[in-house]
Structure formats: C-alpha cells, structure tokens
Amino acid sequence: MNWGKGIFVTFIIFTGILVTMVVISMKQEVGLVAPDYYKQEIAYQKQIDRINNYNSLTEKPMVSVDRSSNDLVLKFSESGMKSVKSGEVHLFRPSHTGADQKHLLKLNDNGEQRINISQLLRGRWKVNLSWQGNTKEYYDELSINL
C-alpha cells in the first residue's frame, strides 16, 4: 500500500465517522423546558411579582414527601387555605420533559392535599406551586428527590 492509498482510506474513514456522528446527533430529542419557553420568558416580570408575593407571606404552605404512603403532601395554614381561590401543582422532571405532571390545587377541610407519587420516576423533581388568592397570585418552586 502506498501513501496515496493510505491518505485516501484515512479520508474515507474520517468522512464515514463524521457522517455517522451527524446522523446520531440529528436523531437526538431536543426538549425545551416548555414548548412556549420564549413567550414565557418575555412575561417573566409577572412571575417575579408572584415570587415576591410568596416571599412576603407570613405563613407559607409546607411541601413534604410522606414515604410511607408515597404521597407528596401540601399543607396550607388555616388562614392561607381560606384565601386560595384556584391553583396548580406542577411536578417537573428536569431530565425528562415527558414525565411532567400537573394537578389542580384541591385542598381538603384541613388545608391539605395529597398527590400519589408512587408511579413517578426516581430522582430529582421540581415542585412548582402556583395559586391565586383574593387579590394576588403566588408562586414557589422547590426541589425534591424521590
């Protein structure tokens, strides 16, 4: 084998590897945090106001994981419970957008809501809690590990 053939074979192998990498990268799923990410980003000042409203609360809702019953437990104080008009709990999986879940905020008489998490993938989750009060909107985000 001479130099010309060696260079030609090396070029062909390099081109084959390059084409293979392009094909593999084109098949990868590119998942944004949200499909309307850019629209949400423009309206972020409203979100900052919600976060500030939450931070100004004297009695904040508590979020915990009950491992014995595999439930995510949301607990509002009595005064906080009375001011909740509507809301949503968004369970967000940063590493897998298809696993996200949304639940309406439905508090029982004790100001508590339980969401079964036994079917959720193990690992890191974000709990995004948003609700509307009498005159203000509130938002909180926290991380949990299942």
Side-chain angles (χ1 to χ4, degrees), residues 109-128:
D109 294 336
N110 298 329
E112 185 176 277
Q113 179 174 351
R114 290 181 167 267
I115 298 171
N116 189 292
I117 56 172
S118 62
Q119 300 299 320
L120 296 180
L121 299 171
R122 299 294 164 225
R124 183 171 177 247
W125 286 81
K126 287 187 177 182
V127 179
N128 300 336

Side-chain angles (χ1 to χ4, degrees), residues 57-125:
L57 289 173
T58 54
E59 295 179 340
K60 296 178 170 76
M62 302 208 25
V63 179
S64 61
V65 176
D66 184 354
R67 302 260 182 221
S68 63
S69 63
N70 278 331
D71 286 339
L72 179 72
V73 182
L74 306 170
K75 178 76 173 152
F76 280 75
S77 66
E78 187 174 328
S79 62
M81 174 182 76
K82 291 177 183 175
S83 68
V84 173
K85 298 299 179 199
S86 64
E88 181 180 79
V89 180
H90 181 193
L91 300 174
F92 171 70
R93 175 89 173 183
S95 62
H96 190 292
T97 57
D100 295 358
Q101 291 187 0
K102 290 186 178 183
H103 302 274
L104 291 177
L105 192 59
K106 297 178 184 175
L107 302 174
N108 63 16
D109 294 336
N110 298 329
E112 185 176 277
Q113 179 174 351
R114 290 181 167 267
I115 298 171
N116 189 292
I117 56 172
S118 62
Q119 300 299 320
L120 296 180
L121 299 171
R122 299 294 164 225
R124 183 171 177 247
W125 286 81

Side-chain angles (χ1 to χ4, degrees), residues 10-66:
T10 304
F11 181 72
I12 295 298
I13 291 172
F14 174 75
T15 304
I17 291 172
L18 189 63
V19 168
T20 303
M21 295 303 288
V22 168
V23 169
I24 290 172
S25 66
M26 294 297 285
K27 290 183 179 182
Q28 292 296 317
E29 179 183 331
V30 178
L32 293 174
V33 173
D36 59 345
Y37 172 78
Y38 297 108
K39 182 180 173 186
Q40 289 179 8
E41 196 63 31
I42 291 171
Y44 196 68
Q45 182 58 46
K46 190 173 181 180
Q47 186 72 357
I48 292 170
D49 294 340
R50 289 180 187 141
I51 293 169
N52 289 337
N53 290 340
Y54 174 82
N55 289 334
S56 68
L57 289 173
T58 54
E59 295 179 340
K60 296 178 170 76
M62 302 208 25
V63 179
S64 61
V65 176
D66 184 354

